[in-house]
Amino acid sequence: MSEPTDFMREAIALARANVAEGGRPFGAVLVRDGEVLARAANRIHATHDPTAHAELLAIREAAQRSGSPRLDGAVIYASGHPCPMCLAAMHLCGVTRAYYAYSNEDGEPFGLSTSAVYAQMALPPDRQSLSLEPLRPEGERGLYEAWSAVRGQGFSRLRMKMRSCASG
């Protein structure tokens, strides 16, 4: 059985290989019960997808392989301090612990810190630099009720109901 430092060394090796390929210095290994569920390196440079962080890619792969969005009890080993987006994803899927090798302070001189994003996210929504405002079109209602109905009644009944709402 591998030790936590072995998983971290693997995450760092993924990050170093990614740097050699022109990518960013981030790798992640997702583990549950001592078994590696997924490995990933940051792919922003290759995909131009700003969400292609190593941790998110590992979570996506593990969830797809398992056929479930829940990864309860999993642990992430990340070469760098997880950003708020990755941390939120960990919370949402049930990851219970995350380790990182390089802190935001380590990354700051290289433009690799997410401390500013953490600071923004700590502010109340109305004080953040990204404007977040409710906007529900007139007459729009029932979206969450429709979701609840499909869970209880089945998809075909909901589809019929949504068609009748759209035509009326």
Side-chain angles (χ1 to χ4, degrees):
M1 178 182 238
S2 294
E3 294 291 322
T5 54
D6 295 330
F7 296 128
M8 184 57 77
R9 287 185 195 286
E10 187 174 355
I12 294 168
L14 288 166
R16 288 187 183 280
N18 202 45
V19 167
E21 294 173 11
R24 297 171 60 99
F26 302 110
V29 177
L30 183 62
V31 177
R32 183 169 47 201
D33 299 325
E35 177 188 345
V36 174
L37 301 179
R39 299 168 176 88
N42 182 291
R43 303 302 297 158
I44 291 174
H45 70 288
T47 64
H48 306 291
D49 175 356
T51 69
H53 292 201
E55 300 92 331
L56 284 182
L57 295 174
I59 288 169
R60 288 175 189 157
E61 182 180 329
Q64 289 171 355
R65 283 184 181 174
S66 72
S68 171
R70 300 298 308 169
L71 300 171
D72 297 299
V75 177
I76 283 207
Y77 297 87
S79 62
H81 191 285
C83 75
M85 174 179 64
C86 293
L87 191 59
M90 291 177 210
H91 281 286
L92 290 169
C93 73
V95 168
T96 55
R97 180 170 288 175
Y99 295 98
Y100 60 90
Y102 289 86
S103 69
N104 272 324
E105 292 77 18
D106 294 328
E108 184 72 38
F110 307 97
L112 297 172
S113 174
T114 56
S115 292
V117 179
Y118 270 103
Q120 277 293 305
M121 299 297 291
L123 296 172
D126 63 338
R127 293 194 45 225
Q128 293 180 17
S129 63
L130 186 151
S131 178
L132 178 65
E133 302 174 36
L135 176 63
R136 186 182 303 178
E138 186 176 325
E140 173 55 44
R141 63 183 175 273
L143 177 62
Y144 293 167
E145 290 81 358
W147 175 81
S148 180
V150 77
R151 293 182 71 201
Q153 300 175 4
F155 182 71
S156 60
R157 290 173 117 181
L158 174 67
R159 193 166 51 193
M160 290 176 20
K161 183 177 179 179
M162 290 182 80
R163 283 185 187 153
S164 68
C165 289
S167 63

